PDB file of all heavy atoms in Angstrom:
ATOM      1  N   GLN N   1     -64.096 -79.234 -45.300  1.00 87.00           N
ATOM      2  CA  GLN N   1     -62.834 -79.588 -45.917  1.00 87.00           C
ATOM      3  C   GLN N   1     -61.732 -78.727 -45.309  1.00 87.00           C
ATOM      4  O   GLN N   1     -61.755 -77.506 -45.438  1.00 87.00           O
ATOM      5  CB  GLN N   1     -62.887 -79.378 -47.435  1.00 87.00           C
ATOM      6  CG  GLN N   1     -61.596 -79.677 -48.168  1.00 87.00           C
ATOM      7  CD  GLN N   1     -61.286 -81.162 -48.226  1.00 87.00           C
ATOM      8  OE1 GLN N   1     -62.195 -81.986 -48.104  1.00 87.00           O
ATOM      9  NE2 GLN N   1     -60.034 -81.498 -48.414  1.00 87.00           N
ATOM     10  N   VAL N   2     -60.765 -79.366 -44.673  1.00 96.00           N
ATOM     11  CA  VAL N   2     -59.659 -78.658 -44.057  1.00 96.00           C
ATOM     12  C   VAL N   2     -58.665 -78.245 -45.133  1.00 96.00           C
ATOM     13  O   VAL N   2     -58.309 -79.041 -46.012  1.00 96.00           O
ATOM     14  CB  VAL N   2     -58.959 -79.531 -43.001  1.00 96.00           C
ATOM     15  CG1 VAL N   2     -57.691 -78.859 -42.492  1.00 96.00           C
ATOM     16  CG2 VAL N   2     -59.910 -79.807 -41.843  1.00 96.00           C
ATOM     17  N   GLN N   3     -58.206 -77.000 -45.057  1.00 98.00           N
ATOM     18  CA  GLN N   3     -57.185 -76.494 -45.958  1.00 98.00           C
ATOM     19  C   GLN N   3     -55.951 -76.097 -45.157  1.00 98.00           C
ATOM     20  O   GLN N   3     -56.061 -75.407 -44.144  1.00 98.00           O
ATOM     21  CB  GLN N   3     -57.695 -75.288 -46.743  1.00 98.00           C
ATOM     22  CG  GLN N   3     -58.947 -75.545 -47.560  1.00 98.00           C
ATOM     23  CD  GLN N   3     -58.686 -76.439 -48.750  1.00 98.00           C
ATOM     24  OE1 GLN N   3     -57.596 -76.440 -49.315  1.00 98.00           O
ATOM     25  NE2 GLN N   3     -59.698 -77.200 -49.132  1.00 98.00           N
ATOM     26  N   LEU N   4     -54.790 -76.524 -45.630  1.00 98.00           N
ATOM     27  CA  LEU N   4     -53.507 -76.148 -45.053  1.00 98.00           C
ATOM     28  C   LEU N   4     -52.680 -75.506 -46.154  1.00 98.00           C
ATOM     29  O   LEU N   4     -52.462 -76.119 -47.199  1.00 98.00           O
ATOM     30  CB  LEU N   4     -52.774 -77.362 -44.488  1.00 98.00           C
ATOM     31  CG  LEU N   4     -53.508 -78.176 -43.421  1.00 98.00           C
ATOM     32  CD1 LEU N   4     -52.703 -79.415 -43.057  1.00 98.00           C
ATOM     33  CD2 LEU N   4     -53.757 -77.336 -42.178  1.00 98.00           C
ATOM     34  N   VAL N   5     -52.216 -74.300 -45.928  1.00 98.00           N
ATOM     35  CA  VAL N   5     -51.489 -73.550 -46.941  1.00 98.00           C
ATOM     36  C   VAL N   5     -50.123 -73.179 -46.401  1.00 98.00           C
ATOM     37  O   VAL N   5     -50.023 -72.433 -45.418  1.00 98.00           O
ATOM     38  CB  VAL N   5     -52.260 -72.291 -47.372  1.00 98.00           C
ATOM     39  CG1 VAL N   5     -51.474 -71.535 -48.437  1.00 98.00           C
ATOM     40  CG2 VAL N   5     -53.640 -72.660 -47.895  1.00 98.00           C
ATOM     41  N   GLU N   6     -49.072 -73.677 -47.058  1.00 98.00           N
ATOM     42  CA  GLU N   6     -47.701 -73.391 -46.663  1.00 98.00           C
ATOM     43  C   GLU N   6     -47.160 -72.200 -47.431  1.00 98.00           C
ATOM     44  O   GLU N   6     -47.556 -71.950 -48.573  1.00 98.00           O
ATOM     45  CB  GLU N   6     -46.789 -74.600 -46.922  1.00 98.00           C
ATOM     46  CG  GLU N   6     -47.220 -75.877 -46.233  1.00 98.00           C
ATOM     47  CD  GLU N   6     -47.984 -76.803 -47.153  1.00 98.00           C
ATOM     48  OE1 GLU N   6     -48.694 -76.310 -48.052  1.00 98.00           O
ATOM     49  OE2 GLU N   6     -47.855 -78.034 -46.972  1.00 98.00           O
ATOM     50  N   SER N   7     -46.227 -71.507 -46.820  1.00 98.00           N
ATOM     51  CA  SER N   7     -45.526 -70.417 -47.476  1.00 98.00           C
ATOM     52  C   SER N   7     -44.181 -70.223 -46.793  1.00 98.00           C
ATOM     53  O   SER N   7     -43.919 -70.801 -45.742  1.00 98.00           O
ATOM     54  CB  SER N   7     -46.339 -69.118 -47.439  1.00 98.00           C
ATOM     55  OG  SER N   7     -46.543 -68.683 -46.107  1.00 98.00           O
ATOM     56  N   GLY N   8     -43.338 -69.404 -47.391  1.00 98.00           N
ATOM     57  CA  GLY N   8     -42.063 -69.057 -46.794  1.00 98.00           C
ATOM     58  C   GLY N   8     -40.863 -69.724 -47.418  1.00 98.00           C
ATOM     59  O   GLY N   8     -39.729 -69.380 -47.074  1.00 98.00           O
ATOM     60  N   GLY N   9     -41.081 -70.663 -48.322  1.00 98.00           N
ATOM     61  CA  GLY N   9     -39.967 -71.302 -48.988  1.00 98.00           C
ATOM     62  C   GLY N   9     -39.295 -70.370 -49.967  1.00 98.00           C
ATOM     63  O   GLY N   9     -39.794 -69.290 -50.287  1.00 98.00           O
ATOM     64  N   GLY N  10     -38.137 -70.793 -50.435  1.00 98.00           N
ATOM     65  CA  GLY N  10     -37.388 -69.994 -51.382  1.00 98.00           C
ATOM     66  C   GLY N  10     -35.971 -70.473 -51.505  1.00 98.00           C
ATOM     67  O   GLY N  10     -35.624 -71.572 -51.062  1.00 98.00           O
ATOM     68  N   LEU N  11     -35.145 -69.642 -52.112  1.00 98.00           N
ATOM     69  CA  LEU N  11     -33.738 -69.935 -52.331  1.00 98.00           C
ATOM     70  C   LEU N  11     -32.908 -69.229 -51.269  1.00 98.00           C
ATOM     71  O   LEU N  11     -33.071 -68.023 -51.044  1.00 98.00           O
ATOM     72  CB  LEU N  11     -33.306 -69.480 -53.726  1.00 98.00           C
ATOM     73  CG  LEU N  11     -31.843 -69.642 -54.093  1.00 98.00           C
ATOM     74  CD1 LEU N  11     -31.453 -71.111 -54.114  1.00 98.00           C
ATOM     75  CD2 LEU N  11     -31.569 -68.987 -55.437  1.00 98.00           C
ATOM     76  N   VAL N  12     -32.022 -69.976 -50.634  1.00 98.00           N
ATOM     77  CA  VAL N  12     -31.176 -69.417 -49.596  1.00 98.00           C
ATOM     78  C   VAL N  12     -29.805 -70.085 -49.677  1.00 98.00           C
ATOM     79  O   VAL N  12     -29.693 -71.245 -50.084  1.00 98.00           O
ATOM     80  CB  VAL N  12     -31.813 -69.616 -48.202  1.00 98.00           C
ATOM     81  CG1 VAL N  12     -31.929 -71.090 -47.851  1.00 98.00           C
ATOM     82  CG2 VAL N  12     -31.046 -68.864 -47.131  1.00 98.00           C
ATOM     83  N   GLN N  13     -28.775 -69.348 -49.315  1.00 98.00           N
ATOM     84  CA  GLN N  13     -27.428 -69.911 -49.293  1.00 98.00           C
ATOM     85  C   GLN N  13     -27.226 -70.767 -48.056  1.00 98.00           C
ATOM     86  O   GLN N  13     -27.856 -70.565 -47.014  1.00 98.00           O
ATOM     87  CB  GLN N  13     -26.380 -68.800 -49.319  1.00 98.00           C
ATOM     88  CG  GLN N  13     -26.310 -68.049 -50.631  1.00 98.00           C
ATOM     89  CD  GLN N  13     -25.150 -67.075 -50.683  1.00 98.00           C
ATOM     90  OE1 GLN N  13     -24.488 -66.813 -49.679  1.00 98.00           O
ATOM     91  NE2 GLN N  13     -24.887 -66.540 -51.858  1.00 98.00           N
ATOM     92  N   ALA N  14     -26.340 -71.747 -48.183  1.00 98.00           N
ATOM     93  CA  ALA N  14     -25.984 -72.576 -47.039  1.00 98.00           C
ATOM     94  C   ALA N  14     -25.548 -71.704 -45.875  1.00 98.00           C
ATOM     95  O   ALA N  14     -24.807 -70.733 -46.048  1.00 98.00           O
ATOM     96  CB  ALA N  14     -24.882 -73.556 -47.418  1.00 98.00           C
ATOM     97  N   GLY N  15     -26.024 -72.066 -44.696  1.00 98.00           N
ATOM     98  CA  GLY N  15     -25.762 -71.283 -43.505  1.00 98.00           C
ATOM     99  C   GLY N  15     -26.840 -70.265 -43.200  1.00 98.00           C
ATOM    100  O   GLY N  15     -26.854 -69.701 -42.097  1.00 98.00           O
ATOM    101  N   GLY N  16     -27.729 -70.039 -44.132  1.00 98.00           N
ATOM    102  CA  GLY N  16     -28.793 -69.071 -43.947  1.00 98.00           C
ATOM    103  C   GLY N  16     -29.993 -69.657 -43.240  1.00 98.00           C
ATOM    104  O   GLY N  16     -29.998 -70.808 -42.802  1.00 98.00           O
ATOM    105  N   SER N  17     -31.048 -68.850 -43.159  1.00 98.00           N
ATOM    106  CA  SER N  17     -32.249 -69.219 -42.419  1.00 98.00           C
ATOM    107  C   SER N  17     -33.500 -68.924 -43.233  1.00 98.00           C
ATOM    108  O   SER N  17     -33.521 -68.024 -44.082  1.00 98.00           O
ATOM    109  CB  SER N  17     -32.334 -68.450 -41.094  1.00 98.00           C
ATOM    110  OG  SER N  17     -31.249 -68.752 -40.240  1.00 98.00           O
ATOM    111  N   LEU N  18     -34.544 -69.681 -42.958  1.00 98.00           N
ATOM    112  CA  LEU N  18     -35.872 -69.443 -43.489  1.00 98.00           C
ATOM    113  C   LEU N  18     -36.886 -69.776 -42.408  1.00 98.00           C
ATOM    114  O   LEU N  18     -36.620 -70.603 -41.531  1.00 98.00           O
ATOM    115  CB  LEU N  18     -36.164 -70.303 -44.716  1.00 98.00           C
ATOM    116  CG  LEU N  18     -35.505 -69.939 -46.043  1.00 98.00           C
ATOM    117  CD1 LEU N  18     -35.793 -71.027 -47.071  1.00 98.00           C
ATOM    118  CD2 LEU N  18     -36.004 -68.596 -46.545  1.00 98.00           C
ATOM    119  N   ARG N  19     -38.045 -69.152 -42.492  1.00 98.00           N
ATOM    120  CA  ARG N  19     -39.159 -69.513 -41.635  1.00 98.00           C
ATOM    121  C   ARG N  19     -40.352 -69.859 -42.508  1.00 98.00           C
ATOM    122  O   ARG N  19     -40.832 -69.023 -43.276  1.00 98.00           O
ATOM    123  CB  ARG N  19     -39.532 -68.388 -40.665  1.00 98.00           C
ATOM    124  CG  ARG N  19     -40.572 -68.841 -39.631  1.00 98.00           C
ATOM    125  CD  ARG N  19     -40.959 -67.756 -38.657  1.00 98.00           C
ATOM    126  NE  ARG N  19     -41.785 -66.730 -39.273  1.00 98.00           N
ATOM    127  CZ  ARG N  19     -42.504 -65.847 -38.594  1.00 98.00           C
ATOM    128  NH1 ARG N  19     -42.492 -65.865 -37.261  1.00 98.00           N
ATOM    129  NH2 ARG N  19     -43.211 -64.934 -39.241  1.00 98.00           N
ATOM    130  N   LEU N  20     -40.820 -71.086 -42.381  1.00 98.00           N
ATOM    131  CA  LEU N  20     -41.985 -71.541 -43.102  1.00 98.00           C
ATOM    132  C   LEU N  20     -43.237 -71.337 -42.256  1.00 98.00           C
ATOM    133  O   LEU N  20     -43.192 -71.445 -41.031  1.00 98.00           O
ATOM    134  CB  LEU N  20     -41.863 -73.017 -43.464  1.00 98.00           C
ATOM    135  CG  LEU N  20     -40.587 -73.444 -44.194  1.00 98.00           C
ATOM    136  CD1 LEU N  20     -40.664 -74.923 -44.553  1.00 98.00           C
ATOM    137  CD2 LEU N  20     -40.359 -72.592 -45.431  1.00 98.00           C
ATOM    138  N   SER N  21     -44.346 -71.065 -42.927  1.00 98.00           N
ATOM    139  CA  SER N  21     -45.625 -70.895 -42.257  1.00 98.00           C
ATOM    140  C   SER N  21     -46.645 -71.853 -42.837  1.00 98.00           C
ATOM    141  O   SER N  21     -46.638 -72.136 -44.038  1.00 98.00           O
ATOM    142  CB  SER N  21     -46.145 -69.462 -42.423  1.00 98.00           C
ATOM    143  OG  SER N  21     -45.275 -68.518 -41.849  1.00 98.00           O
ATOM    144  N   CYS N  22     -47.516 -72.352 -41.996  1.00 98.00           N
ATOM    145  CA  CYS N  22     -48.636 -73.185 -42.407  1.00 98.00           C
ATOM    146  C   CYS N  22     -49.886 -72.605 -41.778  1.00 98.00           C
ATOM    147  O   CYS N  22     -50.011 -72.595 -40.545  1.00 98.00           O
ATOM    148  CB  CYS N  22     -48.424 -74.634 -41.961  1.00 98.00           C
ATOM    149  SG  CYS N  22     -49.855 -75.705 -42.197  1.00 98.00           S
ATOM    150  N   VAL N  23     -50.785 -72.117 -42.613  1.00 98.00           N
ATOM    151  CA  VAL N  23     -52.030 -71.523 -42.141  1.00 98.00           C
ATOM    152  C   VAL N  23     -53.159 -72.513 -42.370  1.00 98.00           C
ATOM    153  O   VAL N  23     -53.376 -72.968 -43.497  1.00 98.00           O
ATOM    154  CB  VAL N  23     -52.324 -70.198 -42.856  1.00 98.00           C
ATOM    155  CG1 VAL N  23     -53.630 -69.600 -42.331  1.00 98.00           C
ATOM    156  CG2 VAL N  23     -51.181 -69.212 -42.651  1.00 98.00           C
ATOM    157  N   ALA N  24     -53.874 -72.833 -41.313  1.00 98.00           N
ATOM    158  CA  ALA N  24     -54.985 -73.768 -41.377  1.00 98.00           C
ATOM    159  C   ALA N  24     -56.305 -73.019 -41.494  1.00 98.00           C
ATOM    160  O   ALA N  24     -56.443 -71.880 -41.023  1.00 98.00           O
ATOM    161  CB  ALA N  24     -55.003 -74.665 -40.146  1.00 98.00           C
ATOM    162  N   SER N  25     -57.285 -73.673 -42.098  1.00 98.00           N
ATOM    163  CA  SER N  25     -58.595 -73.071 -42.283  1.00 98.00           C
ATOM    164  C   SER N  25     -59.456 -73.137 -41.035  1.00 98.00           C
ATOM    165  O   SER N  25     -60.563 -72.581 -41.028  1.00 98.00           O
ATOM    166  CB  SER N  25     -59.321 -73.754 -43.446  1.00 98.00           C
ATOM    167  OG  SER N  25     -59.491 -75.131 -43.191  1.00 98.00           O
ATOM    168  N   GLU N  26     -58.986 -73.788 -40.010  1.00 96.00           N
ATOM    169  CA  GLU N  26     -59.677 -73.864 -38.742  1.00 96.00           C
ATOM    170  C   GLU N  26     -58.650 -73.920 -37.635  1.00 96.00           C
ATOM    171  O   GLU N  26     -57.443 -73.990 -37.899  1.00 96.00           O
ATOM    172  CB  GLU N  26     -60.616 -75.070 -38.697  1.00 96.00           C
ATOM    173  CG  GLU N  26     -59.930 -76.402 -38.887  1.00 96.00           C
ATOM    174  CD  GLU N  26     -60.925 -77.527 -39.055  1.00 96.00           C
ATOM    175  OE1 GLU N  26     -61.459 -77.681 -40.170  1.00 96.00           O
ATOM    176  OE2 GLU N  26     -61.181 -78.237 -38.064  1.00 96.00           O
ATOM    177  N   SER N  27     -59.109 -73.904 -36.402  1.00 97.00           N
ATOM    178  CA  SER N  27     -58.202 -73.865 -35.265  1.00 97.00           C
ATOM    179  C   SER N  27     -57.207 -75.016 -35.314  1.00 97.00           C
ATOM    180  O   SER N  27     -57.582 -76.177 -35.483  1.00 97.00           O
ATOM    181  CB  SER N  27     -58.987 -73.923 -33.958  1.00 97.00           C
ATOM    182  OG  SER N  27     -58.108 -74.037 -32.859  1.00 97.00           O
ATOM    183  N   ILE N  28     -55.924 -74.691 -35.155  1.00 97.00           N
ATOM    184  CA  ILE N  28     -54.922 -75.754 -35.120  1.00 97.00           C
ATOM    185  C   ILE N  28     -55.034 -76.582 -33.848  1.00 97.00           C
ATOM    186  O   ILE N  28     -54.480 -77.681 -33.780  1.00 97.00           O
ATOM    187  CB  ILE N  28     -53.493 -75.190 -35.280  1.00 97.00           C
ATOM    188  CG1 ILE N  28     -53.171 -74.185 -34.175  1.00 97.00           C
ATOM    189  CG2 ILE N  28     -53.325 -74.563 -36.653  1.00 97.00           C
ATOM    190  CD1 ILE N  28     -51.738 -73.677 -34.229  1.00 97.00           C
ATOM    191  N   LEU N  29     -55.750 -76.088 -32.865  1.00 97.00           N
ATOM    192  CA  LEU N  29     -55.995 -76.857 -31.653  1.00 97.00           C
ATOM    193  C   LEU N  29     -57.089 -77.906 -31.850  1.00 97.00           C
ATOM    194  O   LEU N  29     -57.359 -78.687 -30.936  1.00 97.00           O
ATOM    195  CB  LEU N  29     -56.359 -75.934 -30.489  1.00 97.00           C
ATOM    196  CG  LEU N  29     -55.251 -74.981 -30.050  1.00 97.00           C
ATOM    197  CD1 LEU N  29     -55.715 -74.109 -28.898  1.00 97.00           C
ATOM    198  CD2 LEU N  29     -53.999 -75.748 -29.658  1.00 97.00           C
ATOM    199  N   SER N  30     -57.715 -77.921 -33.024  1.00 96.00           N
ATOM    200  CA  SER N  30     -58.632 -78.998 -33.354  1.00 96.00           C
ATOM    201  C   SER N  30     -57.899 -80.242 -33.836  1.00 96.00           C
ATOM    202  O   SER N  30     -58.532 -81.273 -34.072  1.00 96.00           O
ATOM    203  CB  SER N  30     -59.636 -78.542 -34.416  1.00 96.00           C
ATOM    204  OG  SER N  30     -59.019 -78.354 -35.676  1.00 96.00           O
ATOM    205  N   PHE N  31     -56.580 -80.141 -33.990  1.00 97.00           N
ATOM    206  CA  PHE N  31     -55.747 -81.264 -34.395  1.00 97.00           C
ATOM    207  C   PHE N  31     -55.007 -81.831 -33.191  1.00 97.00           C
ATOM    208  O   PHE N  31     -54.636 -81.087 -32.274  1.00 97.00           O
ATOM    209  CB  PHE N  31     -54.732 -80.834 -35.458  1.00 97.00           C
ATOM    210  CG  PHE N  31     -55.352 -80.311 -36.715  1.00 97.00           C
ATOM    211  CD1 PHE N  31     -55.587 -78.955 -36.876  1.00 97.00           C
ATOM    212  CD2 PHE N  31     -55.704 -81.170 -37.739  1.00 97.00           C
ATOM    213  CE1 PHE N  31     -56.167 -78.463 -38.026  1.00 97.00           C
ATOM    214  CE2 PHE N  31     -56.284 -80.690 -38.900  1.00 97.00           C
ATOM    215  CZ  PHE N  31     -56.516 -79.333 -39.043  1.00 97.00           C
ATOM    216  N   ASN N  32     -54.779 -83.122 -33.229  1.00 97.00           N
ATOM    217  CA  ASN N  32     -53.950 -83.737 -32.197  1.00 97.00           C
ATOM    218  C   ASN N  32     -52.524 -83.212 -32.269  1.00 97.00           C
ATOM    219  O   ASN N  32     -51.880 -83.002 -31.236  1.00 97.00           O
ATOM    220  CB  ASN N  32     -53.972 -85.259 -32.352  1.00 97.00           C
ATOM    221  CG  ASN N  32     -53.039 -85.952 -31.384  1.00 97.00           C
ATOM    222  OD1 ASN N  32     -51.985 -86.454 -31.778  1.00 97.00           O
ATOM    223  ND2 ASN N  32     -53.418 -85.984 -30.118  1.00 97.00           N
ATOM    224  N   ALA N  33     -52.045 -83.004 -33.489  1.00 98.00           N
ATOM    225  CA  ALA N  33     -50.703 -82.486 -33.701  1.00 98.00           C
ATOM    226  C   ALA N  33     -50.636 -81.830 -35.066  1.00 98.00           C
ATOM    227  O   ALA N  33     -51.387 -82.186 -35.981  1.00 98.00           O
ATOM    228  CB  ALA N  33     -49.652 -83.593 -33.598  1.00 98.00           C
ATOM    229  N   MET N  34     -49.726 -80.879 -35.193  1.00 98.00           N
ATOM    230  CA  MET N  34     -49.384 -80.279 -36.470  1.00 98.00           C
ATOM    231  C   MET N  34     -47.911 -80.555 -36.720  1.00 98.00           C
ATOM    232  O   MET N  34     -47.096 -80.427 -35.806  1.00 98.00           O
ATOM    233  CB  MET N  34     -49.639 -78.779 -36.468  1.00 98.00           C
ATOM    234  CG  MET N  34     -51.077 -78.373 -36.204  1.00 98.00           C
ATOM    235  SD  MET N  34     -52.179 -78.803 -37.579  1.00 98.00           S
ATOM    236  CE  MET N  34     -51.487 -77.802 -38.904  1.00 98.00           C
ATOM    237  N   GLY N  35     -47.570 -80.905 -37.945  1.00 98.00           N
ATOM    238  CA  GLY N  35     -46.196 -81.256 -38.241  1.00 98.00           C
ATOM    239  C   GLY N  35     -45.726 -80.777 -39.592  1.00 98.00           C
ATOM    240  O   GLY N  35     -46.520 -80.393 -40.455  1.00 98.00           O
ATOM    241  N   TRP N  36     -44.405 -80.793 -39.747  1.00 98.00           N
ATOM    242  CA  TRP N  36     -43.733 -80.497 -40.996  1.00 98.00           C
ATOM    243  C   TRP N  36     -43.012 -81.752 -41.467  1.00 98.00           C
ATOM    244  O   TRP N  36     -42.328 -82.423 -40.670  1.00 98.00           O
ATOM    245  CB  TRP N  36     -42.728 -79.357 -40.842  1.00 98.00           C
ATOM    246  CG  TRP N  36     -43.368 -78.021 -40.663  1.00 98.00           C
ATOM    247  CD1 TRP N  36     -43.624 -77.386 -39.489  1.00 98.00           C
ATOM    248  CD2 TRP N  36     -43.819 -77.148 -41.704  1.00 98.00           C
ATOM    249  NE1 TRP N  36     -44.214 -76.171 -39.726  1.00 98.00           N
ATOM    250  CE2 TRP N  36     -44.343 -75.995 -41.078  1.00 98.00           C
ATOM    251  CE3 TRP N  36     -43.833 -77.226 -43.090  1.00 98.00           C
ATOM    252  CZ2 TRP N  36     -44.871 -74.930 -41.812  1.00 98.00           C
ATOM    253  CZ3 TRP N  36     -44.358 -76.166 -43.817  1.00 98.00           C
ATOM    254  CH2 TRP N  36     -44.871 -75.038 -43.174  1.00 98.00           C
ATOM    255  N   TYR N  37     -43.149 -82.052 -42.742  1.00 98.00           N
ATOM    256  CA  TYR N  37     -42.556 -83.228 -43.358  1.00 98.00           C
ATOM    257  C   TYR N  37     -41.812 -82.842 -44.629  1.00 98.00           C
ATOM    258  O   TYR N  37     -42.092 -81.804 -45.236  1.00 98.00           O
ATOM    259  CB  TYR N  37     -43.632 -84.257 -43.713  1.00 98.00           C
ATOM    260  CG  TYR N  37     -44.315 -84.879 -42.521  1.00 98.00           C
ATOM    261  CD1 TYR N  37     -45.245 -84.165 -41.777  1.00 98.00           C
ATOM    262  CD2 TYR N  37     -44.039 -86.188 -42.143  1.00 98.00           C
ATOM    263  CE1 TYR N  37     -45.876 -84.728 -40.685  1.00 98.00           C
ATOM    264  CE2 TYR N  37     -44.671 -86.767 -41.051  1.00 98.00           C
ATOM    265  CZ  TYR N  37     -45.584 -86.030 -40.332  1.00 98.00           C
ATOM    266  OH  TYR N  37     -46.216 -86.602 -39.249  1.00 98.00           O
ATOM    267  N   ARG N  38     -40.872 -83.688 -45.033  1.00 98.00           N
ATOM    268  CA  ARG N  38     -40.197 -83.544 -46.309  1.00 98.00           C
ATOM    269  C   ARG N  38     -39.951 -84.928 -46.880  1.00 98.00           C
ATOM    270  O   ARG N  38     -40.097 -85.932 -46.182  1.00 98.00           O
ATOM    271  CB  ARG N  38     -38.892 -82.767 -46.175  1.00 98.00           C
ATOM    272  CG  ARG N  38     -37.825 -83.465 -45.341  1.00 98.00           C
ATOM    273  CD  ARG N  38     -36.655 -82.539 -45.089  1.00 98.00           C
ATOM    274  NE  ARG N  38     -35.574 -83.221 -44.378  1.00 98.00           N
ATOM    275  CZ  ARG N  38     -34.496 -82.622 -43.908  1.00 98.00           C
ATOM    276  NH1 ARG N  38     -34.338 -81.308 -44.067  1.00 98.00           N
ATOM    277  NH2 ARG N  38     -33.562 -83.323 -43.271  1.00 98.00           N
ATOM    278  N   GLN N  39     -39.560 -85.015 -48.148  1.00 94.00           N
ATOM    279  CA  GLN N  39     -39.408 -86.293 -48.820  1.00 94.00           C
ATOM    280  C   GLN N  39     -38.013 -86.867 -48.644  1.00 94.00           C
ATOM    281  O   GLN N  39     -37.013 -86.153 -48.711  1.00 94.00           O
ATOM    282  CB  GLN N  39     -39.706 -86.159 -50.313  1.00 94.00           C
ATOM    283  CG  GLN N  39     -41.165 -85.942 -50.617  1.00 94.00           C
ATOM    284  CD  GLN N  39     -41.492 -86.034 -52.083  1.00 94.00           C
ATOM    285  OE1 GLN N  39     -42.460 -85.459 -52.529  1.00 94.00           O
ATOM    286  NE2 GLN N  39     -40.695 -86.776 -52.838  1.00 94.00           N
TER     287      GLN N  39
END
C-alpha cells in the first residue's frame, strides 16, 4: 500500500511563500510522475 504524506501548508499573507512537501513510502522514481493538485 503506497502512502503519500503532505506537509508544509499553513496561513500566509498575500505575496508570501510556502514550500509543500510530499513524502512517499517508496521510491518516487517508481512512479511515472508525481504531481500536486488542488480543487
Side-chain angles (χ1 to χ4, degrees):
Q1 178 71 23
V2 172
Q3 303 289 330
L4 303 175
V5 180
E6 303 99 328
S7 63
L11 177 64
V12 64
Q13 291 187 350
S17 298
L18 286 173
R19 188 180 72 164
L20 308 183
S21 298
C22 171
V23 180
S25 60
E26 60 189 79
S27 173
I28 59 176
L29 295 180
S30 70
F31 299 93
N32 175 253
M34 300 290 297
W36 288 96
Y37 293 74
R38 65 189 184 187
Q39 289 189 205

